[in-house]
Amino acid sequence: GLFVTDYFTRTPRKLSPFRSFASIELFHFHIPEDTVIAVWNLITFKEQGGTFGDQCPDRSITVYFRSGAPSVINPLHTHFPRDTAVPGSFALTLTWTLPNRTTGVFNVTSPLPGDWFLAAHLPKDEGKISVKVKGLDGGIGLYEECQYLFQPQLIVQRLVNIAVLYPGHVTEQSMAPHNRSCLYKVFVPSYTSRVLVEVLRCRGAEGCPLWLRVRAKAPPLHNSTALDCREHTPCQLAQDLPFWQHWYYVLVEKHPGVPGTISFQVTVQLTDCSRPSLARPPFLPSSASMNMPHSFGSAGGLALGDSPPPTSPNDTKHPLPIPVTLHTEERCWPVRPTLRNELDTFSVHFYIFFGPNVSVPPDRPAVFVINLLPVLDSGGVLNLELRLNVSSLCGENVTVFGCLNHGVPLTSGDNTSVTCETESLAGFLLSVNATASLSRLRIPYPQTGSWYLSLRSLCATEHGFEPCTNVTAEVYLRAYLSPCINDCGIYGQCKLLRTNNYLYAACECKAGWNGWGCTDNAEAFSYGFQLLSTLLLCLSNVMFVPPVAIAVRSHYLLEAAVYIFTMFFSTFYHACDQPGIVVFCIMEYDVLQFCDFLGSLMSVWVTVIAMARLQPIIYPHGCPTAPQVLYLLGAMLLSMALQMDRHGLWNLLGPSLFALGIMAVAWTARTIRRRHCYPPTWKRWAFYLCPGALIAAAAVLLYAFVETEENYFYIHSIWHLLIAGSVGFLLPPRAKPSRRLGPLPRRKGCGYQLCVNEQEELGLVDPAVASINSICTS
């Protein structure tokens, strides 16, 4: 046949260590119909500071593949919530083989058409809190974080002009010696209970050396349903309960080593279960074929209501009488639709007409259909709830079984069967009775399309289940879509995520809880631990009371106001930031966080500016406005920096280094002017400056390199204590004027005069100094 190759790619994305599904990177692809092979080119590379990360350590990357919906992954082996069905998927682990870039190739033969999803993540880290470090100019900072990027590319090869088989018609085919197989497809509409494929009049070889393979939705594989025509006469392959509204592919394959040309005929018969006395006619009128697509996908396809195409010498088609061999188990019942009511994103309710109470008669099942829209509904959770009205059983031991299947309803005629699976069909089983009158089922990330729920009532006896007599059970049925399971509970947050144009929801757990619905408490924090951590983080801010008292006593009122601001908002921010249930918020979380970060940075800024003592340096005989300008300028710049990036380490180091630079310049100017080291007393260095600097440096080192998720409550509380303690040591003493100096002459343009204190200039701050004698006149 003729092949067409298509190429798809996605932009590289940075991978994160796995903590929950919210930390994975999701990639969405679409595989067209008639694809015979899909090749994923998985590219992984490392970066550090915008360049190749050759010095970064090698790490493994886990990639999950799933068709129809995102993979429900559980790499940490946590417990899923009750009544949760976990869809299957397959995974691939990539390891680094090259210093920088590694490429892996993953092939899928005859993939299912439609949406495919790839999920990738790094292994779980050791819990280190990563601090973003950027340079002041956006370049290199203290260190550059290693980034691991992943980029998937997809190459598909699909067949065009696949021959279409029409039900009830014979297609003649000649297979040349150099050909190995012939591929066909047939569309199966709704209310079809059986697909029968038959190979007739095999000529050109002895014993008909052909294999007959059939598969739904995609071309057959080596392990698909197959039949050896040498051993079966006639060569018929049947598929019971086929998927509705899908293509079925038929592959006729020649045995290896068979010479010559083989000619044969292929025919397909579809059994219509909605009309037990009739088989599906060869040609469907327009009104009966509304489920057929407008185009079969090949040249000369049969459109709705058209006549069969003209015959040709190599492909003759004529009606074939269809034997009516419909068994009881092939009978299907009317399917009741549901009304879709969209409330919000992934918040959809499916209402039943004349419901929600459903009557289940004893002689036949009640079948309902739930239609999930493509792509739009696969990122949530499909919830199903059955509640039995015990009063409707009339004292009988009745059990109502529900089978939820995708693509086709399971309507078996065997009334004693309690399974929802066949050889080619898998489903989910629910049951309610007088003892357990409530049953729930949750399916995370369900496949889109039609889901069918079949309800039937059976009575329990000594020999198993038997059909009931004259008992109509009443069941309350509820079906809906939700973003997360139980909204992630009280220890989780349901997050709405997006990858390109695809939306999906996932839980992000807290307080040590894990799992898909934050219900796994294997590592959960106890209530006592949550209370202790909250008290540690909040009460450690009381350490700011001594610096406030020192600032007020030394007449540093502006600095004292900043310390009070910091103490207040840090206390209530940490009370609101707790991961558990011990939480208290006086205002919005974002406001508390901004004020806490701003107060912390301003405390460092005003303390270092106060240590510089800029008034006598810049304006020895004028107005002391320099500190006020710097205070205001620092507040505005820090507000801007926090709005851009609140968690950057340079938000703390940048203002600190800049203020320290100003202080160093001021101290150097005094030292040069006096020709003596400033501050001049060794006691000031030994008992105040050096201890304060060491305490502040220890606090920064703990914050940047020691703090982890496990020790956050302790280390961050110590950070509060150290920062507040360092402020008490570093804050300069009160400036005391000298009695030897009189008032200075008034300068033009200033509303007051500055009294220069010679004792303060010399660094002599002994309280025994004489009282103030100079008077400043305005």
Side-chain angles (χ1 to χ4, degrees):
L2 178 63
F3 291 93
V4 174
T5 302
D6 294 327
Y7 173 79
F8 308 95
T9 186
R10 297 293 180 265
T11 56
R13 294 189 198 160
K14 175 188 173 183
L15 299 182
S16 303
F18 183 84
R19 299 179 57 189
S20 65
F21 198 86
S23 60
I24 64 101
E25 290 296 331
L26 191 66
F27 300 88
H28 178 209
F29 290 90
H30 183 82
I31 293 183
E33 290 184 344
D34 306 333
T35 298
V36 294
I37 188 171
V39 180
W40 266 284
N41 191 30
L42 308 176
I43 304 174
T44 57
F45 50 95
K46 298 177 284 188
E47 283 187 358
Q48 187 177 21
T51 60
F52 295 122
D54 296 333
Q55 305 300 323
C56 295
D58 293 342
R59 304 189 70 179
S60 60
I61 294 177
T62 305
V63 186
Y64 298 83
F65 297 80
R66 189 187 174 199
S67 171
S71 301
V72 181
I73 64 176
N74 187 24
L76 303 182
H77 307 289
T78 57
H79 296 290
F80 280 87
R82 293 183 56 186
D83 308 319
T84 302
V86 183
S89 61
F90 55 95
L92 179 68
T93 301
L94 303 177
T95 56
W96 296 100
T97 57
L98 298 176
N100 177 41
R101 176 168 172 159
T102 300
T103 301
V105 179
F106 184 73
N107 299 338
V108 179
T109 304
S110 298
L112 296 177
D115 299 308
W116 278 74
F117 295 88
L118 274 66
H121 65 83
L122 296 173
K124 182 183 178 182
D125 59 4
E126 63 277 6
K128 179 73 176 66
I129 296 180
S130 60
V131 182
K132 294 191 293 184
V133 183
K134 298 181 181 178
L136 293 176
D137 56 349
I140 300 176
L142 294 183
Y143 82 101
E144 291 294 338
E145 181 183 3
C146 287
Q147 297 185 356
Y148 300 84
L149 292 93
F150 176 74
Q151 180 183 18
Q153 299 173 345
L154 175 62
I155 303 174
V156 297
Q157 195 175 51
R158 56 187 176 90
L159 275 168
V160 296
N161 296 333
I162 298 179
V164 176
L165 299 177
Y166 300 97
H169 289 82
V170 175
T171 299
E172 294 188 1
Q173 182 70 46
S174 295
M175 192 180 300
H178 62 275
N179 288 339
R180 288 290 310 276
S181 62
C182 294
L183 184 63
Y184 310 90
K185 65 180 181 179
V186 59
F187 186 78
V188 177
S190 299
Y191 296 99
T192 300
S193 62
R194 197 182 193 201
V195 176
L196 180 65
V197 183
E198 187 174 6
V199 176
L200 306 171
R201 299 181 184 180
C202 185
R203 298 182 300 272
E206 189 175 334
C208 193
L210 298 175
W211 280 95
L212 180 61
R213 303 180 187 273
V214 178
R215 186 189 178 198
K217 304 178 184 179
L221 299 168
H222 66 280
N223 58 351
S224 301
T225 304
L227 185 69
D228 191 353
C229 293
R230 278 182 174 177
E231 302 175 359
H232 297 82
T233 304
C235 188
Q236 295 179 341
L237 186 59
Q239 288 276 329
D240 294 325
L241 294 175
F243 293 101
W244 294 354
Q245 299 291 319
H246 285 288
W247 290 100
Y248 266 73
Y249 290 81
V250 179
L251 179 66
V252 181
E253 193 174 12
K254 184 167 57 176
H255 280 265
V258 177
T261 301
I262 300 178
S263 61
F264 55 90
Q265 295 178 345
V266 180
T267 182
V268 177
Q269 303 173 19
L270 304 182
T271 304
D272 190 346
C273 63
S274 62
R275 293 175 290 181
S277 60
L278 298 174
R280 193 174 294 280
F283 308 113
L284 299 175
S286 298
S287 60
S289 60
M290 291 301 292
N291 291 326
M292 301 285 284
H294 289 277
S295 174
F296 284 95
S298 63
L302 180 64
L304 295 179
D306 292 343
S307 300
T311 60
S312 60
N314 294 329
D315 192 7
T316 60
K317 299 182 181 180
H318 55 81
L320 181 72
I322 302 177
V324 180
T325 58
L326 190 65
H327 303 287
T328 306
E329 62 270 11
E330 295 174 351
R331 184 179 181 184
C332 59
W333 303 97
V335 178
R336 295 175 59 179
T338 56
L339 178 64
R340 178 186 178 94
N341 184 18
E342 296 186 8
L343 303 178
D344 202 346
T345 305
F346 300 129
S347 182
V348 182
H349 284 247
F350 300 95
Y351 295 103
I352 301 172
F353 292 98
F354 308 105
N357 295 323
V358 178
S359 297
V360 183
D363 56 339
R364 60 184 178 87
V367 186
F368 305 89
V369 59
I370 300 172
N371 293 313
L372 300 184
L373 300 181
V375 179
L376 186 63
D377 294 339
S378 61
V381 179
L382 177 61
N383 301 269
L384 198 65
E385 181 179 323
L386 289 180
R387 188 186 300 271
L388 178 63
N389 186 2
V390 181
S391 61
S392 65
L393 303 182
C394 302
E396 296 289 338
N397 191 8
V398 178
T399 301
V400 177
F401 293 96
C403 285
L404 184 66
N405 299 87
H406 183 260
V408 59
L410 184 61
T411 55
S412 175
D414 184 9
N415 288 330
T416 63
S417 175
V418 292
T419 181
C420 294
E421 297 182 0
T422 62
E423 294 182 358
S424 60
L425 189 65
F428 304 97
L429 176 65
L430 299 91
S431 63
V432 288
N433 52 33
T435 305
S437 60
L438 178 63
S439 179
R440 291 188 178 94
L441 176 66
R442 303 182 180 96
I443 305 177
Y445 297 156
Q447 288 182 302
T448 56
S450 298
W451 287 84
Y452 295 91
L453 177 64
S454 304
L455 300 177
R456 50 184 174 161
S457 60
L458 297 176
C459 290
T461 62
E462 298 178 356
H463 307 288
F465 290 97
E466 294 181 357
C468 300
T469 57
N470 299 327
V471 178
T472 300
E474 186 176 291
V475 177
Y476 171 82
L477 175 60
R478 184 187 179 201
Y480 61 97
L481 274 176
S482 63
C484 301
I485 298 177
N486 290 338
D487 201 22
C488 303
I490 61 175
Y491 290 102
Q493 181 182 7
C494 186
K495 288 193 171 183
L496 187 62
L497 308 171
R498 183 179 68 179
T499 169
N500 293 334
N501 292 327
Y502 180 74
L503 292 176
Y504 61 101
C507 287
E508 190 172 68
C509 305
K510 54 187 179 181
W513 290 74
N514 294 307
W516 197 261
C518 300
T519 55
D520 190 336
N521 60 352
E523 302 177 359
F525 301 156
S526 64
Y527 178 81
F529 182 81
Q530 297 179 39
L531 182 60
L532 175 63
S533 62
T534 304
L535 292 177
L536 280 177
L537 289 171
C538 294
L539 297 182
S540 59
N541 290 284
V542 180
M543 190 63 183
F544 273 97
V545 173
V548 171
I550 295 174
V552 172
R553 183 174 178 273
S554 301
H555 289 189
Y556 291 107
L557 300 183
L558 187 146
E559 288 78 359
V562 172
Y563 301 153
I564 294 174
F565 180 90
T566 303
M567 179 177 62
F568 178 85
F569 280 102
S570 178
T571 300
F572 287 100
Y573 164 67
H574 286 291
C576 185
D577 186 49
Q578 293 308 301
I581 60 175
V582 186
V583 178
F584 178 72
C585 299
I586 62 172
M587 57 183 68
E588 292 185 3
Y589 174 83
D590 189 70
V591 176
L592 290 173
Q593 185 187 65
F594 179 83
C595 293
D596 172 58
F597 288 11
L598 179 62
S600 301
L601 299 180
M602 282 298 298
S603 297
V604 177
W605 177 263
V606 298
T607 301
V608 179
I609 295 301
M611 293 172 62
R613 293 188 182 273
L614 297 177
Q615 295 96 328
I617 297 296
I618 300 180
Y619 292 97
H621 303 291
C623 302
T625 59
Q628 286 77 2
V629 171
L630 288 177
Y631 290 153
L632 183 59
L633 182 62
M636 292 188 293
L637 293 179
L638 289 176
S639 300
M640 179 194 68
L642 290 176
Q643 192 66 24
M644 295 172 59
D645 183 9
R646 294 186 185 179
H647 299 278
L649 187 57
W650 274 113
N651 288 344
L652 175 63
L653 295 182
S656 302
L657 296 178
F658 183 69
L660 288 174
I662 295 176
M663 185 187 71
V665 171
W667 286 10
T668 304
R670 282 195 177 94
T671 301
I672 295 174
R673 189 177 67 181
R674 300 158 184 264
R675 300 181 181 178
H676 192 279
C677 180
Y678 182 85
T681 61
W682 64 270
K683 293 182 180 181
R684 186 69 189 167
W685 285 97
F687 297 110
Y688 294 96
L689 296 181
C690 290
L694 291 177
I695 294 174
V700 173
L701 292 177
L702 285 177
Y703 175 80
F705 302 106
V706 180
E707 192 172 279
T708 65
E709 293 181 357
E710 286 76 12
N711 61 21
Y712 173 78
F713 310 112
Y714 311 109
I715 299 299
H716 203 75
S717 300
I718 297 175
W719 150 267
H720 289 166
L721 299 176
L722 294 179
I723 286 296
S726 65
V727 170
F729 279 94
L730 296 176
L731 197 65
R734 175 182 177 182
K736 297 192 178 196
S738 175
R739 60 182 177 180
R740 293 175 298 176
L741 294 178
L744 295 176
R746 178 180 175 182
R747 289 179 61 92
K748 203 172 207 179
C750 184
Y752 56 89
Q753 295 176 344
L754 173 65
C755 301
V756 180
N757 186 357
E758 185 66 22
Q759 297 291 335
E760 184 274 331
E761 282 292 309
L762 295 177
L764 301 177
V765 292
D766 192 354
V769 176
S771 60
I772 302 174
N773 292 325
S774 59
I775 300 175
C776 299
T777 60
S778 61

Short mmCIF file of all heavy atoms in Angstrom, two decimals, residues 63 84 96 107 132 171 181 199 220 252 279-280 306 330 345 358 447 458 477 533 583 651 679 710 712 715 752:
data_model
loop_
_atom_site.label_atom_id
_atom_site.label_comp_id
_atom_site.label_asym_id
_atom_site.label_seq_id
_atom_site.Cartn_x
_atom_site.Cartn_y
_atom_site.Cartn_z
N VAL A 63 9.09 7.84 31.89
CA VAL A 63 8.10 8.31 30.92
C VAL A 63 6.96 7.30 30.89
O VAL A 63 7.19 6.09 30.77
CB VAL A 63 8.71 8.48 29.52
CG1 VAL A 63 7.70 9.13 28.58
CG2 VAL A 63 9.97 9.33 29.59
N THR A 84 -11.78 3.25 44.05
CA THR A 84 -11.10 3.88 42.92
C THR A 84 -10.56 2.81 41.99
O THR A 84 -9.85 1.90 42.43
CB THR A 84 -9.96 4.79 43.40
OG1 THR A 84 -10.49 5.78 44.27
CG2 THR A 84 -9.28 5.47 42.22
N TRP A 96 20.90 8.18 31.51
CA TRP A 96 21.86 8.96 30.75
C TRP A 96 22.97 8.06 30.24
O TRP A 96 23.56 7.30 30.99
CB TRP A 96 22.45 10.06 31.63
CG TRP A 96 21.43 11.05 32.08
CD1 TRP A 96 20.82 11.09 33.29
CD2 TRP A 96 20.89 12.13 31.33
NE1 TRP A 96 19.92 12.13 33.33
CE2 TRP A 96 19.95 12.79 32.15
CE3 TRP A 96 21.10 12.61 30.03
CZ2 TRP A 96 19.23 13.89 31.73
CZ3 TRP A 96 20.39 13.72 29.63
CH2 TRP A 96 19.47 14.34 30.45
N ASN A 107 9.13 2.48 19.89
CA ASN A 107 8.23 2.16 18.78
C ASN A 107 6.95 1.53 19.30
O ASN A 107 6.98 0.70 20.22
CB ASN A 107 8.90 1.22 17.80
CG ASN A 107 10.15 1.80 17.18
OD1 ASN A 107 10.32 3.02 17.16
ND2 ASN A 107 11.04 0.94 16.70
N LYS A 132 15.95 29.69 44.32
CA LYS A 132 16.33 30.20 43.01
C LYS A 132 17.39 31.27 43.15
O LYS A 132 17.22 32.24 43.88
CB LYS A 132 15.10 30.76 42.29
CG LYS A 132 14.08 29.70 41.94
CD LYS A 132 13.03 30.25 41.02
CE LYS A 132 12.17 31.28 41.68
NZ LYS A 132 11.09 31.75 40.80
N THR A 171 -15.80 -9.51 -1.47
CA THR A 171 -14.68 -8.83 -2.09
C THR A 171 -13.67 -9.88 -2.52
O THR A 171 -13.20 -10.68 -1.71
CB THR A 171 -14.01 -7.85 -1.11
OG1 THR A 171 -14.97 -6.86 -0.72
CG2 THR A 171 -12.82 -7.17 -1.75
N SER A 181 0.50 -9.86 2.56
CA SER A 181 -0.77 -9.70 3.27
C SER A 181 -1.64 -8.70 2.54
O SER A 181 -1.17 -7.94 1.68
CB SER A 181 -0.54 -9.25 4.71
OG SER A 181 0.11 -7.99 4.72
N VAL A 199 -13.39 -16.08 4.98
CA VAL A 199 -12.58 -16.22 3.78
C VAL A 199 -13.14 -17.38 2.97
O VAL A 199 -13.24 -18.52 3.46
CB VAL A 199 -11.10 -16.44 4.12
CG1 VAL A 199 -10.29 -16.68 2.86
CG2 VAL A 199 -10.55 -15.23 4.87
N PRO A 220 -4.31 -5.14 12.85
CA PRO A 220 -4.00 -6.25 13.76
C PRO A 220 -2.50 -6.38 14.04
O PRO A 220 -1.64 -5.97 13.26
CB PRO A 220 -4.53 -7.48 13.02
CG PRO A 220 -5.52 -6.95 12.04
CD PRO A 220 -5.00 -5.60 11.64
N VAL A 252 -5.55 -10.37 6.12
CA VAL A 252 -5.38 -11.71 5.53
C VAL A 252 -3.91 -11.85 5.20
O VAL A 252 -3.39 -11.13 4.34
CB VAL A 252 -6.27 -11.90 4.29
CG1 VAL A 252 -6.08 -13.29 3.71
CG2 VAL A 252 -7.73 -11.66 4.64
N ALA A 279 -31.41 -9.88 10.32
CA ALA A 279 -29.99 -9.55 10.29
C ALA A 279 -29.83 -8.19 9.62
O ALA A 279 -30.73 -7.70 8.96
CB ALA A 279 -29.21 -10.60 9.52
N ARG A 280 -28.65 -7.58 9.80
CA ARG A 280 -28.43 -6.26 9.22
C ARG A 280 -28.43 -6.38 7.70
O ARG A 280 -27.73 -7.21 7.13
CB ARG A 280 -27.10 -5.69 9.72
CG ARG A 280 -26.96 -4.22 9.41
CD ARG A 280 -25.70 -3.67 10.05
NE ARG A 280 -25.78 -3.69 11.50
CZ ARG A 280 -26.43 -2.78 12.22
NH1 ARG A 280 -27.05 -1.79 11.61
NH2 ARG A 280 -26.45 -2.85 13.52
N ASP A 306 -26.12 6.12 -0.55
CA ASP A 306 -25.69 5.89 -1.92
C ASP A 306 -25.80 4.42 -2.27
O ASP A 306 -25.92 3.56 -1.41
CB ASP A 306 -24.26 6.35 -2.13
CG ASP A 306 -24.13 7.86 -2.02
OD1 ASP A 306 -25.19 8.52 -2.12
OD2 ASP A 306 -23.01 8.35 -1.83
N GLU A 330 -27.11 -12.64 22.18
CA GLU A 330 -26.77 -11.56 21.28
C GLU A 330 -27.84 -10.48 21.23
O GLU A 330 -27.72 -9.53 20.50
CB GLU A 330 -26.52 -12.11 19.88
CG GLU A 330 -25.31 -13.03 19.79
CD GLU A 330 -25.19 -13.67 18.41
OE1 GLU A 330 -26.14 -13.52 17.63
OE2 GLU A 330 -24.17 -14.30 18.14
N THR A 345 -15.57 23.75 34.94
CA THR A 345 -14.54 22.90 34.35
C THR A 345 -14.45 21.58 35.13
O THR A 345 -14.25 21.59 36.35
CB THR A 345 -13.19 23.62 34.38
OG1 THR A 345 -13.31 24.88 33.72
CG2 THR A 345 -12.12 22.79 33.68
N VAL A 358 -34.21 4.63 39.25
CA VAL A 358 -34.26 3.75 38.09
C VAL A 358 -34.90 2.43 38.51
O VAL A 358 -34.52 1.86 39.55
CB VAL A 358 -32.86 3.50 37.52
CG1 VAL A 358 -32.91 2.53 36.35
CG2 VAL A 358 -32.23 4.81 37.10
N GLN A 447 -11.23 7.36 29.87
CA GLN A 447 -11.17 7.48 28.42
C GLN A 447 -12.45 8.15 27.92
O GLN A 447 -13.54 7.91 28.44
CB GLN A 447 -11.02 6.11 27.77
CG GLN A 447 -9.64 5.49 27.96
CD GLN A 447 -9.54 4.15 27.26
OE1 GLN A 447 -10.32 3.24 27.53
NE2 GLN A 447 -8.60 4.03 26.34
N LEU A 458 -30.63 -9.90 40.27
CA LEU A 458 -30.59 -11.35 40.46
C LEU A 458 -30.88 -11.65 41.92
O LEU A 458 -30.55 -10.86 42.81
CB LEU A 458 -29.22 -11.91 40.07
CG LEU A 458 -28.78 -11.76 38.60
CD1 LEU A 458 -27.37 -12.28 38.42
CD2 LEU A 458 -29.75 -12.46 37.67
N LEU A 477 -29.49 6.34 40.92
CA LEU A 477 -28.28 6.39 40.10
C LEU A 477 -27.80 7.83 39.99
O LEU A 477 -28.56 8.74 39.66
CB LEU A 477 -28.56 5.81 38.71
CG LEU A 477 -27.43 5.90 37.69
CD1 LEU A 477 -26.20 5.15 38.17
CD2 LEU A 477 -27.88 5.37 36.34
N SER A 533 4.68 22.71 65.39
CA SER A 533 5.35 23.45 64.31
C SER A 533 4.76 24.85 64.15
O SER A 533 5.49 25.81 63.93
CB SER A 533 5.23 22.67 63.00
OG SER A 533 3.87 22.52 62.62
N VAL A 583 -4.46 26.06 61.25
CA VAL A 583 -4.27 27.20 60.36
C VAL A 583 -5.16 28.34 60.86
O VAL A 583 -6.31 28.13 61.25
CB VAL A 583 -4.63 26.85 58.90
CG1 VAL A 583 -4.46 28.05 58.01
CG2 VAL A 583 -3.77 25.70 58.41
N ASN A 651 16.91 38.52 46.44
CA ASN A 651 16.06 39.49 47.13
C ASN A 651 16.57 39.77 48.53
O ASN A 651 16.34 40.86 49.08
CB ASN A 651 14.63 38.96 47.21
CG ASN A 651 13.94 39.00 45.87
OD1 ASN A 651 14.41 39.67 44.95
ND2 ASN A 651 12.84 38.28 45.73
N PRO A 679 34.39 51.85 63.86
CA PRO A 679 34.31 52.47 65.18
C PRO A 679 35.64 52.35 65.93
O PRO A 679 36.33 51.34 65.81
CB PRO A 679 33.20 51.70 65.89
CG PRO A 679 32.39 51.09 64.80
CD PRO A 679 33.36 50.79 63.71
N GLU A 710 11.87 18.55 55.56
CA GLU A 710 11.71 17.81 56.80
C GLU A 710 12.01 18.68 58.03
O GLU A 710 11.34 18.58 59.05
CB GLU A 710 12.61 16.57 56.81
CG GLU A 710 12.13 15.44 55.91
CD GLU A 710 12.39 15.72 54.45
OE1 GLU A 710 13.13 16.68 54.16
OE2 GLU A 710 11.84 14.99 53.59
N TYR A 712 12.05 22.06 58.13
CA TYR A 712 11.65 23.45 57.89
C TYR A 712 11.15 24.11 59.17
O TYR A 712 11.50 25.27 59.46
CB TYR A 712 10.57 23.50 56.81
CG TYR A 712 9.96 24.87 56.61
CD1 TYR A 712 10.63 25.85 55.90
CD2 TYR A 712 8.72 25.19 57.14
CE1 TYR A 712 10.08 27.12 55.71
CE2 TYR A 712 8.15 26.44 56.97
CZ TYR A 712 8.84 27.39 56.26
OH TYR A 712 8.29 28.64 56.08
N ILE A 715 14.39 24.70 61.54
CA ILE A 715 15.42 25.59 61.00
C ILE A 715 14.88 26.99 60.76
O ILE A 715 15.55 28.00 61.05
CB ILE A 715 16.02 24.99 59.72
CG1 ILE A 715 16.66 23.63 60.02
CG2 ILE A 715 17.03 25.93 59.10
CD1 ILE A 715 17.80 23.71 61.02
N TYR A 752 15.55 73.85 60.26
CA TYR A 752 16.10 73.56 61.56
C TYR A 752 17.59 73.39 61.42
O TYR A 752 18.14 73.31 60.34
CB TYR A 752 15.47 72.29 62.16
CG TYR A 752 15.60 71.09 61.29
CD1 TYR A 752 16.73 70.25 61.39
CD2 TYR A 752 14.63 70.77 60.34
CE1 TYR A 752 16.87 69.16 60.58
CE2 TYR A 752 14.77 69.67 59.53
CZ TYR A 752 15.88 68.85 59.66
OH TYR A 752 16.01 67.77 58.85
#
